[in-house]
Amino acid sequence: MEALSAIAAHDEVPGVFAPAAPAGAGSADLPFARLVSEGLHAVDAQLKTSQTDLQQLALGEALNLHEVMIRLEESRIAFQLMLQVRNRVLEAYQDVMKMQV
């Protein structure tokens, strides 16, 4: 029964780049820089949590290995997503800089 409750805790994983918007405000109201900043902070927080989980695992203090592995994989995917977004933005910037005015 404890295993099922541990799995149920991971049913609703919050989005990495989905910032908590104030009531009544849409995401169109937020400036792009703020969205990027919040996304980077979310990825950073996930990576720090994963690092802490790895340290606890190395010390033998981790209770559930599968939860540690799930959080590690989530942070890896979030980091890869961040890198792909960065690559696309950089590519778009370079395309704009190549345009002749």
Side-chain angles (χ1 to χ4, degrees):
M1 207 58 174
E2 291 177 7
L4 292 177
S5 64
I7 291 172
H10 293 289
D11 283 346
E12 295 181 13
V13 179
V16 175
F17 289 104
S27 62
D29 296 340
L30 297 176
F32 179 74
R34 182 172 170 195
L35 288 174
V36 171
S37 176
E38 288 177 0
L40 289 174
H41 286 299
V43 171
D44 184 49
Q46 269 190 321
L47 290 172
K48 286 180 181 178
T49 301
S50 296
Q51 184 179 9
T52 303
D53 288 345
L54 281 176
Q55 289 173 349
Q56 289 178 347
L57 183 65
L59 294 173
E61 297 172 356
L63 299 176
N64 294 320
L65 177 62
H66 66 281
E67 288 182 7
V68 172
M69 295 306 294
I70 288 171
R71 283 193 292 269
L72 284 172
E73 188 66 18
E74 287 174 351
S75 63
R76 184 185 70 82
I77 291 172
F79 187 73
Q80 285 181 347
L81 175 64
M82 181 194 65
L83 283 179
Q84 289 301 319
V85 169
R86 181 196 70 89
N87 290 341
R88 295 288 171 105
V89 168
L90 186 59
E91 184 179 316
Y93 174 76
Q94 289 172 349
D95 287 344
V96 168
M97 293 305 293
K98 289 178 185 178
M99 288 183 187
Q100 294 182 0
V101 182

